Amino acid sequence: MAQSLMIIGCGPGGYATAEYAAKQGLRVTVFEKAEAGGTCLNRGCIPTKVYCHAAGLVLDNANASGWGLWPSPSQPGVDFGRLHEHKEAVVAQLRQGVETLMAQPGIELVRGAARLKDDHTVVCNGTDYTADHILIATGSHPVMPRVEGIDNARVVDSTGLLALNTLPKRLVIIGAGVIGMEMASAFSAFGTEVTVVEFLKECLPMADSDLAKRLRRSLEKRGVKFYLQAAAKSVSTEGVSAPDSAALTFTQKGKDFTVEGDIILAATGRGPNTEELGLEAAGIDFDRHGIKVNDCFETSVKGVFAIGDVNGRMQLAHAAEAQGRVVVDAIAGRENHMKMSLVPWAVFTTPELAGTGPTEDVLKATMTGEDRPQVVKSYYRANGKAVTMDATDGLVKVIAAPDGRLLACHILGAHAADLVQEVSALISVGATLRDLDAVIHIHPTLQELL
């Protein structure tokens, strides 16, 4: 008889794993208490990227007069209400696709909140369901910073910002991580006055520091105001200069400053969805960072696994999907060791920032003397296709070991998310700089940067 698998959560990790498991002959039951597609599709990656793409269109059109496409310079208008409707339509279309996927043979989708009863039993809607294995893929939620007055009605998290159907004139963002930077890039392109308050000394701390600084400066040229090494202190509506606004007070270099906005976005990270899962009763180890798992993403209880944001390893949809494949292969008795350090990532600002492998800072700190890594660079301004696209703001950085073995790649510029995939694939098979140099790229393309 075929093995069975229960999956709690129908986000990218959950539904992708369900599809893969069903194709491997497992009987799969998926539990979802909200919308199919999870946070990524409904309140995260997908709706955010609609806005990021729209921002790129706005910025391209703003420069169109220089190409002779309009008789005089003009700033294209943004009908934010229609853009919001388009975003919702995109989400609905993809959600329907996930629901169709969950209706294929071998998969049952159960609507409702599920919790563990033991290592083989899940309770949902008052009914006990049993299976050979259980997979927890419940994702994460926005974490609000500990700031006085943060419960103010003018303060929203990423979900709240994406729900707005009117464009704020002024947006204050607490946090310059991925969400903060993507929203700063998009909303500034739409015409919103954007201010970013970040506690650390630079934006995007997980990124190559050189490229992160270049991205920040690019956004500053577009009018985004950054306050770095600044600690958010309080939010208040008292004494504000305009109705329906709020003021954020922050401390920078020992002095207090205040900035006002119609909306204040709290973008200070996400926490694992471990509440009400019955983890304690099932004897599963976890902490505030997530459920503890081994290299096969099995929890402290044999036969129970956890993937994606809920295990705290890496908050990326494609990482969750890859982890799910490892789990299914482990159940089937096949080896599939995921190379977590090589998972590529991207920030969909304009310009984009993407990377795979350790940053230059990390590698130079760990590889010294004769083992010091090689760092080679290529600039967008010297690339023919980039010039034709008027997208010369960018840099490609490839890092290799002394023997030429590829270790990492970090890119700032147009289509960085697409470009970095090539190097990610080459790193995974142990390729060298000479191997990369031997690859023939079409002319003229951005790929020639590699």
Side-chain angles (χ1 to χ4, degrees), residues 81-317:
R82 288 183 62 184
L83 177 57
H84 180 269
E85 291 176 359
H86 174 66
K87 169 187 65 84
E88 293 296 297
V90 169
V91 170
Q93 176 184 339
L94 293 174
R95 185 192 304 129
Q96 181 58 54
V98 173
E99 291 176 349
T100 300
L101 188 67
M102 294 299 94
Q104 72 179 36
I107 302 175
E108 178 187 6
L109 177 60
V110 179
R111 304 283 186 170
R115 61 178 177 83
L116 279 72
K117 187 174 182 179
D118 56 44
D119 57 351
H120 292 290
T121 309
V122 163
V123 181
C124 183
N125 301 325
T127 301
D128 286 1
Y129 294 82
T130 60
D132 299 311
H133 309 278
I134 298 174
L135 174 64
I136 302 169
T138 48
S140 62
H141 62 274
V143 174
M144 300 299 280
R146 295 181 180 179
V147 173
E148 181 183 348
I150 199 68
D151 57 350
N152 190 288
R154 310 307 301 180
V155 179
V156 299
D157 57 20
S158 56
T159 300
L161 185 66
L162 290 169
L164 297 179
N165 57 15
T166 57
L167 185 66
K169 293 181 179 180
R170 299 174 300 169
L171 174 64
V172 177
I173 301 175
I174 307 174
V178 174
I179 296 172
M181 292 297 284
E182 287 184 346
M183 293 299 94
S185 178
F187 278 80
S188 64
F190 299 155
T192 297
E193 179 184 310
V194 178
T195 303
V196 180
V197 177
E198 168 57 47
F199 181 75
L200 300 177
K201 64 180 181 180
E202 189 53 88
C203 67
L204 300 170
M206 81 297 181
D208 180 277
S209 60
D210 180 23
L211 301 191
K213 181 187 294 185
R214 287 171 178 265
L215 174 59
R216 172 176 55 80
R217 288 177 173 173
S218 180
L219 266 60
E220 286 176 334
K221 289 179 181 178
R222 285 166 37 199
V224 178
K225 180 73 173 180
F226 283 87
Y227 292 94
L228 302 175
Q229 293 181 291
K233 187 175 180 181
S234 63
V235 175
S236 175
T237 54
E238 294 183 8
V240 293
S241 61
D244 298 326
S245 63
L248 172 69
T249 299
F250 60 92
T251 302
Q252 185 185 52
K253 296 181 180 179
K255 297 181 180 180
D256 285 350
F257 298 88
T258 298
V259 60
E260 292 186 14
D262 307 322
I263 294 293
I264 297 176
L265 168 65
T268 51
R270 301 181 64 86
N273 288 330
T274 55
E275 298 286 333
E276 300 177 355
L277 283 177
L279 299 179
E280 299 94 338
I284 295 174
D285 290 342
F286 71 101
D287 57 24
R288 64 185 182 87
H289 300 294
I291 298 174
K292 298 179 181 180
V293 295
N294 61 20
D295 289 342
C296 289
F297 307 102
E298 189 171 31
T299 70
S300 56
V301 174
K302 186 175 178 57
V304 180
F305 302 82
I307 63 169
D309 290 11
V310 76
N311 69 28
R313 290 284 187 94
M314 187 173 287
Q315 293 186 347
L316 295 169

Side-chain angles (χ1 to χ4, degrees), residues 48-63:
T48 299
K49 274 51 184 183
V50 171
Y51 283 175
C52 291
H53 178 66
L57 295 176
V58 171
L59 294 171
D60 285 345
N61 288 335
N63 296 325

Side-chain angles (χ1 to χ4, degrees), residues 352-416:
E352 292 180 0
L353 177 59
T356 184
T359 65
E360 180 182 357
D361 295 333
V362 169
L363 288 171
K364 283 188 173 180
T366 56
M367 300 173 67
T368 58
E370 294 182 354
D371 292 329
R372 192 171 180 82
Q374 302 181 61
V375 180
V376 292
K377 301 177 182 179
S378 180
Y379 293 87
Y380 272 64
R381 63 175 179 266
N383 176 266
K385 182 60 179 295
V387 175
T388 68
M389 295 167 59
D390 195 20
T392 55
D393 184 9
L395 166 67
V396 174
K397 180 184 293 186
V398 175
I399 309 174
D403 62 2
R405 181 171 46 87
L406 295 172
L407 300 175
C409 179
H410 300 278
I411 304 176
L412 173 69
H415 299 284

Side-chain angles (χ1 to χ4, degrees), residues 314-329:
M314 187 173 287
Q315 293 186 347
L316 295 169
H318 49 284
E321 294 180 12
Q323 291 173 17
R325 294 178 72 91
V326 172
V327 169
V328 174
D329 287 345

